[in-house]
Amino acid sequence: MEKLADMAMSRRLLGAYTCDLYKLRALYLGKDVPRFEAMLQAMIAARYKNPADKKSFLEQYFHTFLLKENKQYAGWLLEAIRDFGDALFTRYNEQAYAVMIDKRSDLIETMDSQIDAKQYYGFPLGVILFMIARQYEYLDDTDNAVLYYNNAKICFHPKAIYIPAIQDSLKRLAQPGVEESARV
């Protein structure tokens, strides 16, 4: 796949952005860390014809590494998100980083007010709901964590990267209740 992505004909037919995505994915799946990191940095620095492509790349990979709690890669992508120049895009991603990487649990009210202001829809709204749930989980408030995880699930496409994370979180939160009822 990597060789195909580097071919001049492929780059003309599919475009630089699509070929770069294929190459990045091939390097990631091949666990070629030095080359993957170099390609990730190259894509972060690249200027693609369509700004929406760059935004989509930043968002997808940022959240992939955020869920893996990879501080280095998520940090690189967050810097690029900040440079992108979209204040709403930057804000929800910075808050997600603060929750997942810095383990903050003091952003619930702030994020909840963004929901009330109806500034976010779809994927970003789902991320905010997920991050509120995670904060409740940090605070050992299982009921609210489950409520927000379930609400987040509604915002995502069934194949979104957050769906398995939500399912894992809901299973993990259900475990203490199962163990307690088994003992009774």
Side-chain angles (χ1 to χ4, degrees):
M1 188 182 320
E2 182 185 347
K3 288 180 183 178
L4 185 62
D6 283 335
M7 292 175 57
M9 180 64 81
S10 297
R11 294 187 82 74
R12 274 196 305 273
L13 290 174
L14 299 173
Y17 171 70
T18 301
C19 288
D20 286 351
L21 279 177
Y22 279 122
K23 186 174 180 178
L24 185 68
R25 179 120 172 104
L27 293 169
Y28 181 73
L29 293 174
K31 298 182 184 345
D32 187 342
V33 175
R35 291 180 60 221
F36 169 78
E37 288 179 353
M39 187 65 196
L40 181 62
Q41 290 284 14
M43 285 190 74
I44 288 170
R47 301 255 184 251
Y48 294 106
K49 288 181 184 178
N50 184 354
D53 288 342
K54 178 75 173 243
K55 186 175 184 179
S56 175
F57 155 72
L58 293 172
E59 185 172 60
Q60 184 69 31
Y61 275 85
F62 173 72
H63 289 280
T64 296
F65 293 121
L66 193 66
L67 287 172
K68 293 179 183 296
E69 297 184 40
N70 185 317
K71 185 176 183 172
Q72 180 182 17
Y73 296 164
W76 291 350
L77 290 155
L78 183 58
E79 283 305 312
I81 288 168
R82 288 177 177 137
D83 293 342
F84 195 77
D86 180 332
L88 290 176
F89 182 57
T90 299
R91 181 173 57 195
Y92 95 87
N93 285 302
E94 285 178 336
Q95 290 169 345
Y97 184 93
V99 171
M100 291 299 295
I101 302 298
D102 299 332
K103 307 292 185 207
R104 287 183 54 186
S105 61
D106 62 329
L107 296 170
I108 293 171
E109 288 181 28
T110 301
M111 296 175 98
D112 201 35
S113 69
Q114 291 165 356
I115 294 168
D116 293 342
K118 298 183 182 182
Q119 296 174 317
Y120 296 100
Y121 300 93
F123 185 86
L125 178 59
V127 170
I128 291 169
L129 290 164
F130 179 92
M131 295 305 158
I132 291 173
R134 185 55 53 101
Q135 290 175 80
Y136 277 123
E137 194 173 344
Y138 293 158
L139 298 170
D140 294 322
D141 184 341
T142 303
D143 292 341
N144 277 315
V146 168
L147 175 71
Y148 277 90
Y149 280 132
N150 283 320
N151 286 331
K153 192 170 21 173
I154 295 166
C155 297
F156 294 116
H157 183 278
K159 296 198 184 249
I161 59 174
Y162 275 90
I163 296 298
I166 291 169
Q167 291 168 337
D168 290 346
S169 296
L170 289 170
K171 284 179 192 170
R172 185 178 59 252
L173 292 171
Q175 289 302 319
V178 171
E179 291 171 8
E180 287 175 24
S181 63
R183 282 185 245 148
V184 174

